[in-house]
Amino acid sequence: MNLVEDLQWRYATKKMNGKTIPQEKLDYILEAARLAPSSSGLQPYKIFVISNRELLQKIKPVAWDQSQILDASHVLVFAAWDGYSLDRIESVFNYTMNERGLPLDTMDAYKEKLWGMYKPLGEEWQANHAAKQAYISFGMAIAAAAEQKIDATPMEGFTPEAVDELLELKEQGLKSVLILALGYRNETEDWLVNMKKVRSPKAEFITELK
């Protein structure tokens, strides 16, 4: 199989069968998400991997009562930084410099320039920018799941403030932005399972400027 064929296979699974996915497949999906690109390499988000049934029972009502929350093998919550700060930026850059064996001041000018651009844009812009980075990682996770033949349901249908409270995200300077349920499709109960995948025609979707 290739990636395009894998993406043809996948769909937003509406009913899952509760079967647990192998740990190595979960690890593969999470590693793909971890390796996703992000602006300036800051990775301003974290992923919470939830299989605790008691916690999922609490999440389901605030996730529009979607059955996949309980029928999935694992539920991933992508939580982005609630804003940028010079300390947060420096922490990431210092870790990078240490890993690369470079002096910590190697990119001081760039760090100051970056914070100089982000600071005046305000916390709302910063939180939205961080959330956009999480979406990139989210997309990589979906593609990796398809490659591993793991069904995935992307969810924006939930009350972020309620999920933030359940996961104590505010105390960590984070906001929930996306949920991804991972598991296996219930082929007898999912109305979407045999439906044709429909996307915009290539001629309408792509414009080539030569």
Side-chain angles (χ1 to χ4, degrees), residues 67-78:
S67 64
Q68 301 95 318
I69 296 294
L70 289 181
D71 295 337
S73 169
H74 295 77
V75 171
L76 312 186
V77 175
F78 288 70

Side-chain angles (χ1 to χ4, degrees), residues 55-137:
L55 179 55
L56 292 173
Q57 287 277 6
K58 295 177 181 178
I59 291 175
K60 185 172 181 278
V62 298
W64 296 9
D65 211 36
Q66 296 176 81
S67 64
Q68 301 95 318
I69 296 294
L70 289 181
D71 295 337
S73 169
H74 295 77
V75 171
L76 312 186
V77 175
F78 288 70
W81 290 0
D82 58 7
Y84 292 102
S85 69
L86 183 57
D87 284 346
R88 279 180 156 175
I89 293 171
E90 283 186 334
S91 178
V92 175
F93 275 69
N94 287 347
Y95 174 74
T96 300
M97 295 306 104
N98 276 325
E99 288 294 300
R100 291 176 174 172
L102 297 172
L104 294 184
D105 61 0
T106 299
M107 299 187 72
D108 275 359
Y110 183 74
K111 286 185 289 187
E112 295 289 345
K113 179 181 179 181
L114 198 61
W115 178 231
M117 290 189 297
Y118 287 179
K119 184 179 180 180
L121 293 172
E123 289 185 359
E124 183 177 356
W125 180 92
Q126 294 170 21
N128 286 334
H129 185 268
K132 289 176 182 178
Q133 311 314 306
Y135 271 85
I136 300 172
S137 177

Side-chain angles (χ1 to χ4, degrees), residues 11-184:
Y11 71 106
T13 309
K14 302 305 179 187
K15 278 286 187 179
M16 293 185 174
N17 63 16
K19 182 181 176 183
T20 301
I21 65 178
Q23 185 64 42
E24 62 270 19
K25 290 182 178 290
L26 175 63
D27 290 343
Y28 184 91
I29 294 165
L30 294 171
E31 184 65 359
R34 189 180 73 89
L35 293 173
S38 66
S39 181
S40 297
L42 290 176
Q43 288 184 292
Y45 51 86
K46 292 185 178 182
I47 302 174
F48 292 78
V49 184
I50 307 170
S51 57
N52 180 284
R53 308 314 293 176
E54 183 178 346
L55 179 55
L56 292 173
Q57 287 277 6
K58 295 177 181 178
I59 291 175
K60 185 172 181 278
V62 298
W64 296 9
D65 211 36
Q66 296 176 81
S67 64
Q68 301 95 318
I69 296 294
L70 289 181
D71 295 337
S73 169
H74 295 77
V75 171
L76 312 186
V77 175
F78 288 70
W81 290 0
D82 58 7
Y84 292 102
S85 69
L86 183 57
D87 284 346
R88 279 180 156 175
I89 293 171
E90 283 186 334
S91 178
V92 175
F93 275 69
N94 287 347
Y95 174 74
T96 300
M97 295 306 104
N98 276 325
E99 288 294 300
R100 291 176 174 172
L102 297 172
L104 294 184
D105 61 0
T106 299
M107 299 187 72
D108 275 359
Y110 183 74
K111 286 185 289 187
E112 295 289 345
K113 179 181 179 181
L114 198 61
W115 178 231
M117 290 189 297
Y118 287 179
K119 184 179 180 180
L121 293 172
E123 289 185 359
E124 183 177 356
W125 180 92
Q126 294 170 21
N128 286 334
H129 185 268
K132 289 176 182 178
Q133 311 314 306
Y135 271 85
I136 300 172
S137 177
F138 189 79
M140 297 288 278
I142 292 172
E147 185 183 31
Q148 295 297 305
K149 290 298 175 287
I150 300 297
D151 286 299
T153 307
M155 297 180 180
E156 290 181 306
F158 65 97
T159 306
E161 296 80 6
V163 173
D164 293 354
E165 184 176 351
L166 286 169
L167 300 183
E168 300 180 345
L169 297 184
K170 185 176 181 179
E171 294 83 348
Q172 302 174 62
L174 299 169
K175 292 183 177 182
S176 57
V177 292
L178 295 155
I179 290 176
L180 185 63
L182 298 174
Y184 294 99

